[in-house]
Amino acid sequence: MVYRALGIMSGSSLDGLDMALVEFQEVAGKWVYSVKASDCYPYNLEWKTKLGSAINLSAFNYQLLHCEYGHYIGREVNRFVEANQLPYQIQLIASHGHTTFHVPAKKMTAQLGDGAAIAAITGVNVVSDLRGMDIALGGQGAPIVPIGEKLLWPDYKLLLNIGGIANISLNDVSTTIAFDICAANRVLNLLANEAGKEFDENGAIAATGYVQEELLVKLNSLEYYGQPYPKSLANNFGTDLVYKLIKNSAYSIPDSLCTYVEHISIQVRNAIESIKAGSSFATSGSRLLVTGGGAHNLFLIERLRNLLSHENIELVVPEKELIDYKEAIVMALIGVLRWREENNTLASVTGALRNSIGGAVWIGQEA
């Protein structure tokens, strides 16, 4: 059977809504896919402010924003449909929402974006609240993409996504391991904002700076990095802890960016080493698929290549569509798996009691 699902992702970098309409088919137990349309609808300043400050709202105002944002997503989906001439071609919408609170230790995670509102506005069936079941089962609820990586890109054993948060996956024959590595683009973008830029294009500003060893040591000594996986990060790790630490060090923006690029690169290398130490997988000779906005940062990719060359790991940066929309593609697949009532979250990744079928279903179609 062929499924046409729209995956929607809002990352912690607050760039905008990533959308990908994907056609899936399971053939002899293997999934194949084709992206029919994709786009990113940037947030304006108002929405960046609303989403960025949501954790400071009262409970009542937070719920109002949850509903408002759901209606906003619905309208943006309708705009996507009209722009790409896709009326009646979407069977299912899978919306990740925008993560605000994420406290797995308390069995709680929250993503803004009311699924019922999306279904009501679009008239299409919707799957939302994708992490809730795993969290309830004692898991981290993150990373959420490894099920898609396992099913859609089985030829890659190592996969790195560099978004607002960087995370890594190992797809071995016997198991799947994945975890959040460190804050990434969220911190880089905040630093670039201070230089009057939305982001550091190609890492050009960072390339003019110098690594400040004292700051690098402080960053690499943060408690999270010593914790064993499974583990995950909330958005405020980057904004409230890392960014403030960098600012308190009072280095120039180029030096701060250069140092943080080095920090990300070191933590990626350390993450791969921890995977190698904690499993029977031999990473040497592996190919590492790199996606997410950070894959466009040429300076960061250069530093990663340099550090990982000693591990005999080849970095593969794919075509732009996969770099930019991999997470949206996976959200679409997660929605399809939920619709089929099949596991879409892996306990080996999250540390939950068992694999689970995550997502709330909202019927947008009229009976």
Side-chain angles (χ1 to χ4, degrees), residues 24-217:
F24 296 102
Q25 188 172 10
E26 187 184 19
V27 180
K30 295 183 178 180
W31 285 90
V32 294
Y33 77 96
S34 173
V35 178
K36 299 303 179 183
S38 60
D39 209 342
C40 177
Y41 288 171
Y43 292 128
N44 59 25
L45 180 59
E46 179 185 6
W47 272 109
K48 284 186 177 183
T49 302
K50 284 180 177 179
L51 296 175
S53 60
I55 60 173
N56 300 317
L57 296 174
S58 67
F60 177 69
N61 286 327
Y62 181 91
Q63 286 302 119
L64 288 178
L65 181 60
H66 179 59
C67 294
E68 181 187 1
Y69 184 54
H71 283 87
Y72 167 82
I73 293 173
R75 291 192 298 271
E76 293 295 82
V77 169
N78 287 343
R79 180 157 76 101
F80 178 85
V81 168
E82 183 176 354
N84 292 282
Q85 300 180 337
L86 298 169
Y88 309 109
Q89 294 189 46
I90 300 175
Q91 297 171 321
L92 185 69
I93 296 169
S95 177
H96 176 274
H98 187 83
T99 300
T100 49
F101 301 101
H102 184 68
V103 192
K106 300 285 187 181
K107 291 187 169 60
M108 187 277 285
T109 189
Q111 284 75 41
L112 287 168
D114 182 16
I118 302 171
I121 293 293
T122 62
V124 178
N125 298 338
V126 171
V127 177
S128 64
D129 191 19
L130 306 178
R131 301 179 188 266
M133 188 64 195
D134 183 79
I135 288 282
L137 286 166
Q140 291 286 314
I144 198 170
V145 297
I147 184 68
E149 294 170 337
K150 186 179 185 69
L151 297 177
L152 300 180
W153 301 285
D155 292 339
Y156 289 96
K157 299 304 180 186
L158 289 168
L159 302 99
L160 172 67
N161 185 74
I162 311 174
I165 293 170
N167 51 64
I168 193 163
S169 301
L170 163 68
N171 282 324
D172 201 3
V173 176
S174 58
T175 189
T176 298
I177 297 169
F179 54 93
D180 288 343
I181 300 172
C182 62
N185 293 343
R186 186 72 175 108
V187 173
L188 294 175
N189 290 353
L190 285 171
L191 292 169
N193 293 164
E194 295 189 35
K197 306 286 187 181
E198 283 195 38
F199 59 95
D200 183 12
E201 187 171 2
N202 296 326
I205 302 173
T208 67
Y210 296 92
V211 173
Q212 298 295 332
E213 291 296 336
E214 183 180 2
L215 174 58
L216 185 62
V217 169

Side-chain angles (χ1 to χ4, degrees), residues 318-337:
E319 69 278 6
K320 186 177 186 300
E321 187 169 62
L322 184 54
I323 289 174
D324 293 341
Y325 298 105
K326 177 185 160 201
E327 287 192 319
I329 292 167
V330 172
M331 294 310 122
L333 178 63
I334 287 174
V336 169
L337 293 173

